[in-house]
Amino acid sequence: MSFLIFLLLVLVLASAVWTVLATQLLHSAIALALTSVLLSIVMFAFQSPWAAVFELSVCAGLITVVFISTISMTRHYSIEEEQARATSRLKRFIWLPVVLVFICVGMSFMMPGPSPFPSLPAPTTLDMRQVLWGLRRYDMLGQILVILAGIFGVVVLFKPKKREK
Amino acid sequence: MVTSAALFWLAGVVTLLLAITAIYCIIVSRNLIRILIGVEIMTKAATLLLVAAGVVSGRTALAQALIITLIVVEVVVIAVAAGVVVGSYQHTHDMDVRNLRDLKG
């Protein structure tokens, strides 16, 4: 189990690095969806199935569709322009793997300390639905307001312009 | 058998690396969509830390409720930001973030 979690976390990190380093935007969007899928598997392994289902359906599905739609609505470069941009990007992003390896080596010298939650009382046995609808009910109100604000924002952004007189 | 402290440490290291990847992407990228992708990776790091804290402290229900709230906020932010990106493209006919410096009003 511990090796599986370690492997999944390494795959999540590798997928995120691929997302950043991919030369084409479409590949980046697909790699981001793969990161979400791997993260949802980590959530299943961490006994959080509801959050995993949300991550899988919303982040790996809906947000990928939003990104691919945005990419398709914007400019497509020619092969020559794409190659020139890829070379320029490689120069700017070449330090990312170096930075990550440097931090990995530095963190490997730090041993894990005691549990970061030593003084907490015994965990409660509340179900996720009881927490969401009971303890955190005002979060639901905030979520509804955020969704309404998002709908209003998208409607305003895509509102057709009035003809100038 | 892995201890809870070691599990949280491992998840914390991966969270830190994900956050550095995202910050690097946001700082270095010039394409607006890539900056949004960096923001997405940053929220993935926050989600991973929340789920690890939930399983280590034994409060997975509370962590899941917070993660669902985070996902809802994330979707709204990305949808509105994608609309802003498309609007900026229609205005400047380019995806370069440096063109936004010319915006007025």
Side-chain angles (χ1 to χ4, degrees), chain B residues 39-55:
Chain B
V39 173
E40 265 287 302
I41 295 173
M42 184 67 91
T43 57
K44 298 277 176 277
T47 307
L48 178 61
L49 194 63
L50 273 175
V51 75
V55 75

Side-chain angles (χ1 to χ4, degrees), chain A:
Chain A
M1 185 65 181
S2 58
F3 177 74
L4 176 69
I5 290 173
F6 177 76
L7 183 66
L8 282 171
L9 290 174
V10 169
L11 285 175
V12 167
L13 183 63
S15 176
V17 172
W18 180 39
T19 305
V20 173
L21 294 181
T23 46
Q24 291 189 14
L25 276 173
L26 196 60
H27 292 173
S28 287
I30 292 168
L32 187 65
L34 180 65
T35 310
S36 291
V37 170
L38 289 167
L39 188 60
S40 66
I41 297 173
V42 170
M43 287 175 176
F44 272 114
F46 280 178
Q47 301 147 21
S48 304
W50 286 92
V53 167
F54 264 79
E55 177 77 23
L56 194 61
S57 60
V58 177
C59 294
L62 180 64
I63 289 184
T64 307
V65 171
V66 169
F67 271 120
I68 291 176
S69 303
T70 309
I71 292 166
S72 66
M73 289 168 77
T74 52
R75 184 182 175 187
H76 296 277
Y77 295 105
S78 65
I79 296 173
E80 292 80 13
E81 283 178 322
E82 200 71 59
Q83 285 175 346
R85 283 174 177 268
T87 309
S88 169
R89 271 180 50 75
L90 188 64
K91 286 177 185 170
R92 282 182 280 136
F93 279 86
I94 195 72
W95 290 104
L96 178 61
V98 178
V99 169
L100 292 182
V101 169
F102 183 74
I103 291 171
C104 275
V105 171
M107 295 297 284
S108 66
F109 289 110
M110 297 170 63
M111 295 299 290
S115 175
F117 309 101
S119 60
L120 286 176
T124 54
T125 54
L126 284 175
D127 187 35
M128 187 259 172
R129 286 163 293 187
Q130 291 173 303
V131 171
L132 195 60
W133 295 105
L135 291 178
R136 312 289 304 179
R137 68 171 70 94
Y138 293 111
D139 285 7
M140 302 301 292
L141 181 64
Q143 287 183 36
I144 292 167
L145 290 175
V146 166
I147 290 170
L148 288 176
I151 292 169
F152 185 68
V154 171
V155 166
V156 168
L157 282 169
F158 288 99
K159 191 170 65 174
K161 292 177 183 175
K162 290 179 183 176
R163 288 184 180 178
E164 293 181 1
K165 292 180 181 177

